[in-house]
Amino acid sequence: MKCTASHQYSHSLDQVYLFFRDAETISEKYAALKAINISIIRNEDTDDGFISETERELPADVPALLASILGDYNKLIQKEHWYSKDDGSLGCDMTIDLVGVPVRIEGHMHLHENETGAINDVTIEISSSLPLIGSSLARYVAGDCKKSMEQEYQYIQGQLQTAEVAE
């Protein structure tokens, strides 16, 4: 199951990147998105870019079919490897581990500029090898990912606009 989104910002790449790069900003973003028990495990520069690893719990609105697999809250560990591309844009390879949930989540982000600001193109692949309910589980997680991506986009947009007004 594949989820894609293209988020257009009227702000610079550097301004948008802060929401993925700065530990305090990341924690604030996740808290605003209703996560609890937020922990920044790793947030450091590498030879080719930057690595971020976070852990948090998110509330789950679970269909009855999946209630035995997913609880009221889902703990997830998200790893992102950001790197500069030759054209000045940024790439990010990510994995998301829904702890205790038999799905595999991998994705990619491409943060680049255009004449009006920055664009973040996001692609996430979700799969499950469970027999019978695996496709239902992957479909549910994909829907949840799509909703989370939109909420994160709206949050970042709001924060950028608020900062602009404050200037």
Side-chain angles (χ1 to χ4, degrees), residues 16-23 26 43-45 49-50 52 82:
V16 174
Y17 184 45
L18 179 70
F19 288 89
F20 300 99
R21 172 72 168 93
D22 179 72
I26 292 168
N43 190 273
E44 62 192 46
D45 291 322
F50 174 77
S52 172
W82 287 90

Side-chain angles (χ1 to χ4, degrees), residues 65-70 98-104 126-141:
L65 175 66
L66 303 173
S68 64
I69 298 171
L70 302 170
L98 276 170
V99 178
V101 180
V103 294
R104 180 178 178 91
I126 301 107
S127 60
S128 176
S129 59
L130 278 181
L132 302 176
I133 66 166
S135 61
S136 294
L137 181 59
R139 203 169 22 261
Y140 167 76
V141 171

Side-chain angles (χ1 to χ4, degrees), residues 26-39:
I26 292 168
S27 291
E28 289 169 358
K29 175 180 68 177
Y30 289 154
L33 297 174
K34 311 248 186 299
I36 61 171
N37 301 322
I38 301 162
S39 177

Side-chain angles (χ1 to χ4, degrees), residues 48-65:
D48 65 343
F50 174 77
I51 290 184
S52 172
E53 184 174 349
T54 59
E55 184 177 298
R56 63 192 184 278
E57 292 179 38
L58 292 170
D61 180 20
V62 191
L65 175 66

Side-chain angles (χ1 to χ4, degrees), residues 83-166:
Y83 50 91
S84 295
K85 299 180 89 165
D86 291 339
D87 63 2
S89 67
L90 297 169
C92 174
D93 296 323
M94 72 176 128
T95 59
I96 302 170
D97 178 19
L98 276 170
V99 178
V101 180
V103 294
R104 180 178 178 91
I105 305 169
E106 294 181 333
H108 181 78
M109 289 189 276
H110 181 221
L111 185 58
H112 53 101
E113 289 187 306
N114 67 8
E115 57 282 343
T116 61
I119 300 172
N120 189 22
D121 293 317
V122 185
T123 302
I124 296 178
E125 292 275 349
I126 301 107
S127 60
S128 176
S129 59
L130 278 181
L132 302 176
I133 66 166
S135 61
S136 294
L137 181 59
R139 203 169 22 261
Y140 167 76
V141 171
D144 207 41
C145 280
K146 192 80 165 166
K147 184 174 80 174
S148 293
M149 287 190 300
E150 181 61 24
Q151 289 171 339
E152 187 170 340
Y153 170 63
Q154 293 299 328
Y155 172 79
I156 293 170
Q157 277 283 67
Q159 292 300 301
L160 289 168
Q161 289 169 352
T162 299
E164 189 176 276
V165 169

